[in-house]
Amino acid sequence: MNSNGGRRFFLLTHPRSCSNLLVRILSFEDQPNVLQHDGGQGYFFLSGDDLRQELKLEGKNVEDWTQDEQDQMKQEWQNCFTELQKHIEAAEAEGKIVFVKEHAYFMTEPVSLSKFSFDPENVKQAPWTVQIPDKYGSRVTRSSLNHTLLPDEFLQTLFPTFLIRHPALMFPSHYRTIIDNSGVKAAHAEGERSEIMTLHWMRTLYDWYAERLAKPGSESANDIKWPLLLDADDILNNPNVVVRFSEIVGLDTTKLQFEWKPAEKEFLAQFPDDVSRRMRSTLTASAGIMKEKSSANIDISTEAKKWKEEFGQSEGEKMERWVKASMPDYEYLRAKRLTLRSV
């Protein structure tokens, strides 16, 4: 990391990883030293994912995208980065903390996605990379574990925290939101789902950071070993871990909220669309942390029977396959998680 990134904190997440819950607890609206963006939510690259869905490019080999589709996507992702960079510059000009939440999948570039889903021999393009200002260096590079749209020179200015959740809870929950938001047919599109029903992108990016931050001379923040990793179960069951995380990133721990009133109709009306309301529906209906949402005593074989009943035999089998395939990555990452003993 370099001096450009002293207070740039990124929360890298996966859909349905309890990230909205964590942001609710951190109470960014009551944290005056953090520059707000969409209530602390971030998602600078969400519009890129929206356009990818609009153009029906999810689960499609990038080699089969038309030139116009490629041009549209490149321009949209460049716009996403430009807005992110503006936010960073505004925060630093005001002497405030940058705290951005982003799904790792949203930032994953399409060549890597295609090589993951298809025969890599049939993917000939070079990885896509957004253009960044000259102040990051005259040479833009991309190393092997970097599957994002962002070059190494930008990534290394960030202090990253990864948020994970047990796949047997995270993936089925995300699948249900796809059904509710886009319909059963969209949920059944296996190529699209295989790109996101995985922790591969989280693990490779975590390893990218771990490799760099372990090098002698790497910058640290608050004498903490980076990258950090949070597990949703600890957010649900161990509030002291959230307090410790807040201390590390410089938040006012007296402003944390572990209880609140369920959202009223007026608040729900502020969301721009039904998708936004659906993705936060569990949180907005709650009055605080719901410990029953943890993975305690979960058994994949037992859950698989429920998935086959809920989603149908074929889709339930896919879900079981996705979950089991992701367990090694989950267990690997979970072993790295922040605990009160690890700092």
Side-chain angles (χ1 to χ4, degrees):
M1 295 185 183
N2 60 39
S3 58
N4 287 332
R7 305 180 81 198
R8 298 180 181 183
F9 298 106
F10 261 52
L11 179 64
L12 295 157
T13 63
H14 188 285
R16 315 308 288 174
S17 59
C18 292
S19 61
N20 288 327
L21 172 63
L22 177 59
V23 168
R24 182 70 179 84
I25 293 171
L26 297 179
S27 189
F28 285 110
E29 65 274 12
D30 297 320
Q31 303 285 352
N33 63 336
V34 179
L35 184 65
Q36 293 296 291
H37 174 78
D38 190 21
Q41 293 295 104
Y43 292 149
F44 283 90
F45 287 84
L46 174 60
S47 64
D49 189 65
D50 288 342
L51 179 59
R52 179 164 49 189
Q53 293 183 47
E54 180 184 329
L55 297 176
K56 302 186 185 304
L57 299 177
E58 281 192 314
K60 186 176 181 180
N61 191 331
V62 69
E63 298 292 341
D64 296 327
W65 297 10
T66 67
Q67 188 60 53
D68 180 63
E69 289 168 343
Q70 293 187 47
D71 291 344
Q72 286 190 63
M73 289 305 310
K74 287 180 179 179
Q75 184 59 59
E76 186 58 39
W77 276 321
Q78 186 63 50
N79 294 342
C80 292
F81 174 78
T82 298
E83 290 304 309
L84 170 60
Q85 182 61 31
K86 287 180 180 178
H87 177 73
I88 291 173
E89 291 175 352
E92 293 176 345
E94 296 181 29
K96 293 188 175 184
I97 292 172
V98 174
F99 193 106
V100 171
K101 182 181 85 165
E102 200 75 57
H103 289 330
Y105 171 73
F106 287 174
M107 301 193 307
T108 302
E109 60 88 23
V111 174
S112 295
L113 289 171
S114 293
K115 288 184 176 181
F116 181 78
S117 299
F118 304 98
D119 183 351
E121 294 296 322
N122 295 328
V123 184
K124 306 298 184 182
Q125 293 191 43
W128 291 19
T129 307
V130 298
Q131 296 179 2
I132 61 175
D134 292 340
K135 67 180 181 179
Y136 290 100
S138 58
R139 184 165 173 255
V140 174
T141 59
R142 169 189 295 279
S143 48
S144 61
L145 290 175
N146 179 6
H147 298 304
T148 76
L149 292 154
L150 305 168
D152 292 359
E153 287 72 18
F154 179 82
L155 285 180
Q156 65 191 16
T157 70
L158 312 177
F159 289 103
T161 298
F162 293 79
L163 175 61
I164 60 170
R165 190 184 185 194
H166 196 295
L169 294 174
M170 191 163 58
F171 294 173
S173 179
H174 182 51
Y175 190 91
R176 294 181 190 103
T177 67
I178 296 171
I179 293 175
D180 292 345
N181 292 331
S182 304
V184 172
K185 184 177 180 180
H188 286 189
E190 184 170 3
E192 300 173 23
R193 302 290 73 79
S194 64
E195 289 182 350
I196 196 168
M197 298 294 188
T198 176
L199 285 172
H200 175 73
W201 313 116
M202 295 280 275
R203 177 169 178 170
T204 53
L205 191 52
Y206 178 92
D207 284 344
W208 185 91
Y209 273 110
E211 180 181 291
R212 271 155 183 73
L213 300 185
K215 293 180 179 178
S218 296
E219 187 179 340
S220 65
N222 302 338
D223 296 321
I224 298 300
K225 183 179 179 181
W226 296 84
L228 295 181
L229 193 136
L230 300 174
D231 185 278
D233 280 358
D234 292 321
I235 295 171
L236 295 167
N237 296 318
N238 193 348
N240 288 331
V241 169
V242 181
V243 172
R244 183 66 185 112
F245 172 69
S246 302
E247 293 172 342
I248 291 170
V249 299
L251 302 181
D252 184 347
T253 58
T254 67
K255 302 298 185 181
L256 302 185
Q257 296 185 25
F258 295 96
E259 295 180 348
W260 47 81
K261 293 181 180 180
E264 298 180 353
K265 291 182 179 179
E266 292 76 11
F267 177 81
L268 296 176
Q270 298 176 10
F271 291 115
D273 49 51
D274 290 339
V275 173
S276 299
R277 280 185 284 275
R278 174 61 181 89
M279 298 305 286
R280 298 173 176 86
S281 59
T282 301
L283 178 62
T284 54
S286 71
I289 294 174
M290 303 169 68
K291 293 188 176 182
E292 66 272 18
K293 296 292 184 179
S294 77
S295 66
N297 301 318
I298 196 166
D299 179 78
I300 295 176
S301 297
T302 300
E303 296 300 311
K305 296 176 183 177
K306 300 176 185 178
W307 300 330
K308 292 167 187 174
E309 182 176 346
E310 179 181 2
F311 305 133
Q313 183 69 26
S314 176
E315 293 302 300
E317 290 175 355
K318 290 180 188 176
M319 184 62 64
E320 183 178 13
R321 184 173 71 248
W322 290 327
V323 169
K324 287 183 175 179
S326 293
M327 285 307 297
D329 288 340
Y330 173 70
E331 291 167 353
Y332 169 84
L333 291 169
R334 189 172 187 275
K336 316 286 187 182
R337 76 190 192 280
L338 177 69
T339 66
L340 297 181
R341 298 184 302 275
S342 63
V343 293

